[in-house]
Amino acid sequence: MKTKPLIIALLAIAVMPMSAQQLFTLEDLNFGGTNYHNLRPKNMFLTWWGDQLMYQDVEESGILDAKGHKTPVFTLDELNFLLTASHDVDKREFRSALNATYPYPDQPVVLLKNRRIQMLYNWKTKAGWVQTLEGAAVTKWSPASKALAYKKADHQLYIRDADDRERQLTTDGSSDIVYGEAVHRNEFGIDEGLFWSPDGQRLAFYRMDQSMVTDYPQVNIDPRIAEAEPDKYPMAGMASHTVTVGVYNLTTGKTVYLKTPLPPTISDNDGNSPIEPTPVYFTDPTPVYFTNIAFTPDSKHILMFELNRDQNDCRLKSYDAETGNYEYQLCRETSEKYVEPMHPVLFLPWDKNCFILQSQKDGYNHLYLYSIKGECIKQLTSGPWVVMDVLGFNEQQQAVIIASNEKHPLQRNLYAVSLKDGKRTPIDNGEGVHRGVLSASGQSLYDKWSTPTQPNNIDLVKVNARRPTPGTRLLTAPDPWQNYIVPQYDSGSIKAADGVTDLYWRMVKPADFDAQKKYPTVVYVYGGPHAHNIDASWHWASRSWETYMAQKGYIVFILDNRGSENRGRDFEQATFRQLGQTEMQDQMKGVEYLKSLPYVDADRLGVHGWSFGGFMTISLMTNYPDVFKVGVAGGPVIDWKWYEVMYGERYMDTPQQNPDGYAKTSLITKAKNLKGRLQIIIGYNDPTVVPQHALSFLKACAEAGTQPDFYVYPGEGHNMRGHNSVHLHERITRYFDDFLK
């Protein structure tokens, strides 16, 4: 891809006459559709056994060489025969080898599991080791000790050791006291709550007390008389849960808790009651967020980031894993806005006293080399680009392998970074979007990549930290849409509302696009943090619904405004304390660009988005009521005071700290401005953007005399699952057909 300020790549993908080709349906395009998987680009399921590449098929798994030749090492039939011959587990057979893993680089052993058991199978000796999983949820297994940590339906935390014996770790677990799960509503990079030490002898786990958090009254309508099924939902500025970190010693059978700062004191106005009646408002700035837990290589210490509730003071601290005692602070990062610790530290395989830390403190996410004592030895990467991921290390060449958008903001490319001199050596071909997976030693990786014109390629690459090494092609996927009438996909850039910053867009046009005609145009928007819509992957990362709309005669336009991800700290934090405002300004620059195009019908502009995009949809329709004729808002935030603590307070502070910002961004007072046709769609049991948002806006519209439409999916959460997604996108499409086309 050429890296010019304005990228315009017109892709007319039509290799057969249109008369001989098929039209898409939502069953073809939507992930819940009956034909969706047949129209996905061809892929290979791969993993590593040490440095040996392994393939994973449904019925078997085995060695894959550089020429693509397969040598099976086990089949499901032989594993299931072993199970039925040696255990009374005839109903526990394995049904797929796609989730096979090879946990020991130097042993011919594969790990396979289903909902009831997991088996370690040695394909040389044909022997198997079985561990019970039945009744276990939220599991975490240690290859070192073969111990399994898990929860049960009774809310308690357990460990099953290598001899398949069960130990109960807790007794006070409940819906209020939650063990071993992700905490802080999955913010700060948290996606799990169980952490094994490298030697497998210690288990760190989260304990979350949410008894003081308000219950949001969700309802289950399936019983004859509907039943209450409340969610714990801490809203911005109100009481949040408190978290502690326990460490269980498998050898001694004892648990200690890290001696972290005390949680905030919750008291009523006279200070006499330990828990104030709802609502409880947060006032104590004591650090409460614990994230990115990492054991030291010797398993004796735990390094953990601690972030104050205001989220502007982040400290990396060390604790003794044996006693739970606080040891010392390794580093600290502060900000006038907010700090976002998203990644645990990574220790160097060849130097257990040094680790890699990721930070945006210079304006972009980059890597820093630290000593175990907290000395910043040096900054490893720098520049006006973002380290998007750390894949791992190549110990032989003492390099860290990263993915970054150094080449271009829309690309994702792989590099080996030498820890000796910081030299970055490209690993891939410099095009498109690449996702690599390293072997155990880091000397090889398989690289799945695509470009706007290529749906999927897989290369096997030898990692060289000094010079690029061409990869061996394992797969070149054919275009799965070659028998269909395919739209045109363009991408380019415009300037943001600040007149300086480049913003990137995607446009999808009908296959028979005629520049002499005028087309109804829909702006698809998300616009929020930690997401982007446009990159240099297949069709510029276009969503399948856009293809469906283009086929029906629409133009669809998507713009990544300031506030979205992978463009650096200042780009992302431009929206601080005023969510939606800067984003709208940028989106309206996109509308200005659309109006400059002779084939865009400015009298038939629509807008659609989900979640933050639903908030943006209603924001645009009520702040610019004469611009957008039709909108569909899914799961929209209406007022940030009803959103959850961690996300809401990071970007908006609390309602008490920022009353003007909350008032300015609330859509309740904008209900009177609605002119166009607006449909709001929600999941009836949404635990993320609770129904109070949409219902409050509908109430405000009734009071103001404006007329939105409303549709709800009972039993669904924030997004529609399975075939309901097909139904949803047909409903969205029909709304534009009825009122925009």
Side-chain angles (χ1 to χ4, degrees):
M1 185 183 76
K2 296 181 179 179
T3 57
K4 297 180 178 180
L6 179 65
I7 310 165
I8 300 180
L10 181 61
L11 311 178
I13 307 174
V15 297
M16 300 169 61
M18 281 192 183
S19 59
Q21 292 180 293
Q22 303 176 55
L23 293 173
F24 290 105
T25 70
L26 283 175
E27 299 291 354
D28 300 321
L29 293 170
N30 188 272
F31 69 87
T34 56
N35 197 42
Y36 173 75
H37 293 290
N38 293 326
L39 292 184
R40 302 299 298 157
K42 185 179 179 182
N43 199 2
M44 299 176 71
F45 295 92
L46 303 171
T47 190
W48 290 101
W49 169 36
D51 288 327
Q52 174 60 60
L53 188 62
M54 309 295 284
Y55 71 90
Q56 296 166 293
D57 291 341
V58 173
E59 297 294 335
E60 65 180 32
S61 182
I63 294 170
L64 183 72
D65 68 20
K67 295 182 178 179
H69 298 147
K70 295 180 177 181
T71 305
V73 299
F74 77 89
T75 68
L76 284 189
D77 285 345
E78 64 185 89
L79 265 67
N80 288 330
F81 177 79
L82 179 62
L83 279 176
T84 55
S86 58
H87 299 82
D88 184 19
V89 287
D90 57 304
K91 294 183 179 179
R92 302 182 181 185
E93 70 274 6
F94 299 112
R95 300 184 184 277
S96 174
L98 293 179
N99 65 348
T101 58
Y102 297 82
Y104 306 110
D106 56 348
Q107 298 179 41
V109 173
V110 63
L111 176 68
L112 215 65
K113 60 183 178 180
N114 56 32
R115 293 183 178 180
R116 298 186 176 187
I117 61 167
Q118 64 181 10
M119 172 187 274
L120 280 174
Y121 177 68
N122 187 310
W123 65 82
K124 297 288 188 181
T125 65
K126 308 298 182 183
W129 169 88
V130 174
Q131 193 170 43
T132 304
L133 296 181
E134 194 159 10
V138 195
T139 62
K140 189 65 176 290
W141 185 71
S142 167
S145 62
K146 298 183 182 177
L148 177 76
Y150 56 95
K151 284 185 62 176
K152 283 186 176 181
D154 63 1
H155 302 287
Q156 307 307 335
L157 190 60
Y158 296 83
I159 283 179
R160 191 173 289 278
D161 63 23
D163 294 326
D164 210 29
R165 294 174 300 189
E166 184 176 84
R167 310 183 190 186
Q168 184 171 339
L169 275 58
T170 65
T171 58
D172 62 340
S174 67
S175 58
D176 283 337
I177 306 297
V178 180
Y179 284 101
E181 296 188 22
V183 297
H184 306 322
R185 295 188 67 82
N186 295 79
E187 298 293 337
F188 319 114
I190 298 171
D191 59 9
E192 60 181 348
L194 298 169
F195 312 88
W196 281 107
S197 61
D199 65 4
Q201 295 303 308
R202 288 189 173 96
L203 174 76
F205 58 88
Y206 281 128
R207 180 188 188 271
M208 175 172 63
D209 180 354
Q210 55 182 358
S211 59
M212 69 292 292
V213 176
T214 304
D215 288 332
Y216 185 85
Q218 300 281 13
V219 176
N220 178 5
I221 68 164
D222 290 333
R224 183 176 181 186
I225 298 178
E227 297 176 352
E229 291 185 354
D231 291 328
K232 291 290 186 180
Y233 197 90
M235 290 186 178
M238 298 179 69
S240 183
H241 53 245
T242 60
V243 170
T244 48
V245 178
V247 185
Y248 177 79
N249 189 313
L250 198 63
T251 303
T252 66
K254 295 181 179 180
T255 297
V256 299
Y257 281 84
L258 302 188
K259 296 177 176 61
T260 55
L262 292 174
T265 300
I266 300 171
S267 62
D268 63 14
N269 293 332
D270 62 15
N272 294 323
S273 174
I275 298 180
E276 180 184 353
T278 303
V280 180
Y281 293 106
F282 172 83
T283 57
D284 192 328
T286 304
V288 292
Y289 300 138
F290 305 122
T291 185
N292 300 303
I293 293 170
F295 278 92
T296 54
D298 62 7
S299 301
K300 294 181 179 180
H301 310 273
I302 290 176
L303 271 55
M304 181 172 69
F305 288 94
E306 299 180 9
L307 183 68
N308 67 326
R309 179 150 174 180
D310 210 32
Q311 302 190 41
N312 57 11
D313 188 341
C314 182
R315 306 173 189 226
L316 178 63
K317 296 183 179 181
S318 177
Y319 290 88
D320 187 312
E322 179 68 23
T323 64
N325 290 336
Y326 167 69
E327 296 177 317
Y328 55 91
Q329 179 175 297
L330 288 91
C331 64
R332 180 184 183 188
E333 182 178 346
T334 61
S335 169
E336 294 182 354
K337 295 182 178 179
Y338 53 87
V339 181
E340 291 186 273
M342 297 296 291
H343 309 279
V345 302
L346 295 172
F347 282 87
L348 305 186
W350 59 88
D351 186 346
K352 310 302 184 184
N353 293 313
C354 292
F355 61 83
I356 300 291
L357 180 144
Q358 298 188 49
S359 172
Q360 289 197 104
K361 60 186 176 182
D362 79 340
Y364 296 86
N365 192 54
H366 282 299
L367 306 185
Y368 297 79
L369 182 63
Y370 272 79
S371 77
I372 190 61
K373 294 302 181 182
E375 174 194 2
C376 183
I377 299 171
K378 60 183 173 182
Q379 184 172 351
L380 291 173
T381 61
S382 63
W385 46 271
V386 171
V387 174
M388 306 165 83
D389 194 12
V390 176
L391 279 60
F393 297 95
N394 182 311
E395 181 172 0
Q396 183 183 56
Q397 300 177 27
Q398 295 195 3
V400 57
I401 313 304
I402 67 169
S404 81
N405 61 359
E406 178 179 0
K407 187 82 173 179
H408 189 275
L410 296 186
Q411 294 191 191
R412 176 189 170 101
N413 298 105
L414 308 179
Y415 297 85
V417 182
S418 171
L419 269 73
K420 295 178 180 178
D421 57 17
K423 178 184 177 182
R424 295 187 298 279
T425 302
I427 293 175
D428 60 40
N429 59 13
E431 303 176 15
V433 171
H434 294 251
R435 302 188 184 277
V437 178
L438 274 179
S439 67
S441 71
Q443 296 184 46
S444 300
L445 64 77
Y446 64 84
D447 173 19
K448 295 187 177 183
W449 60 279
S450 72
T451 71
T453 59
Q454 301 176 77
N456 190 32
N457 303 284
I458 304 178
D459 292 344
L460 178 61
V461 183
K462 290 292 185 183
V463 175
N464 191 313
R466 286 298 163 188
R467 63 180 183 277
T469 303
T472 301
R473 182 62 49 85
L474 297 175
L475 172 70
T476 301
D479 186 348
W481 292 6
Q482 59 185 336
N483 295 325
Y484 288 79
I485 300 173
V486 179
Q488 301 176 15
Y489 303 90
D490 307 341
S491 183
S493 69
I494 60 172
K495 293 297 181 184
D498 63 4
V500 177
T501 307
D502 287 329
L503 304 177
Y504 295 94
W505 55 258
R506 175 176 69 244
M507 185 180 291
V508 186
K509 302 174 185 174
D512 59 352
F513 171 74
D514 182 350
Q516 302 304 310
K517 296 181 179 180
K518 284 188 175 291
Y519 293 87
T521 300
V522 176
V523 175
Y524 176 77
V525 60
Y526 180 76
H530 292 291
H532 70 281
N533 280 308
I534 300 100
D535 61 39
S537 58
W538 192 41
H539 295 161
W540 300 103
S542 179
R543 300 168 64 251
S544 295
W545 179 75
E546 299 162 20
T547 294
Y548 190 60
M549 290 293 284
Q551 179 178 273
K552 293 176 74 67
Y554 297 88
I555 288 173
V556 185
F557 180 80
I558 302 92
L559 178 75
D560 279 336
N561 50 247
R562 283 173 294 168
S564 54
E565 68 178 354
N566 295 336
R567 297 291 305 279
R569 181 193 62 204
D570 294 344
F571 185 96
E572 295 170 9
Q573 296 189 352
T575 65
F576 182 57
R577 294 186 117 223
Q578 53 168 3
L579 287 177
Q581 308 310 298
T582 299
E583 300 94 317
M584 280 194 291
Q585 295 170 20
D586 286 351
Q587 290 294 330
M588 291 308 295
K589 294 300 290 186
V591 170
E592 181 182 311
Y593 170 68
L594 288 173
K595 288 183 175 181
S596 74
L597 303 175
Y599 47 81
V600 170
D601 189 341
D603 294 326
R604 291 188 293 167
L605 286 181
V607 59
H608 166 50
W610 201 273
S611 191
F612 198 100
F615 164 68
M616 287 294 296
T617 295
I618 301 178
S619 295
L620 288 165
M621 289 201 69
T622 55
N623 282 276
Y624 303 93
D626 296 318
V627 173
F628 298 97
K629 185 178 180 182
V630 180
V632 179
V637 173
I638 296 298
D639 192 309
W640 290 102
K641 71 173 178 287
W642 294 320
Y643 202 67
E644 55 95 344
V645 166
M646 295 81 191
Y647 184 107
E649 292 181 4
R650 179 189 310 143
Y651 303 118
M652 289 289 291
D653 283 333
T654 67
Q656 300 92 308
Q657 295 167 322
N658 183 21
D660 293 341
Y662 276 82
K664 184 178 183 180
T665 59
S666 174
L667 299 177
I668 295 296
T669 58
K670 311 292 195 309
K672 64 182 183 298
N673 300 340
L674 182 64
K675 288 185 178 181
R677 296 299 301 248
L678 170 65
Q679 178 174 224
I680 299 171
I681 305 175
I682 67 168
Y684 183 68
N685 300 92
D686 190 339
T688 304
V689 182
V690 293
Q692 186 170 353
H693 287 270
L695 297 176
S696 297
F697 186 76
L698 294 175
K699 179 181 178 181
C701 287
E703 293 171 351
T706 51
Q707 295 285 345
D709 296 314
F710 183 57
Y711 192 84
V712 62
Y713 284 87
E716 293 285 1
H718 192 50
N719 299 100
M720 303 312 116
R721 299 164 295 179
H723 206 264
N724 268 354
S725 181
V726 176
H727 184 278
L728 166 67
H729 285 87
E730 181 61 35
R731 184 164 191 87
I732 295 169
T733 304
R734 287 188 183 187
Y735 202 76
F736 287 113
D737 282 349
D738 289 343
F739 300 112
L740 188 66
K741 198 169 184 179

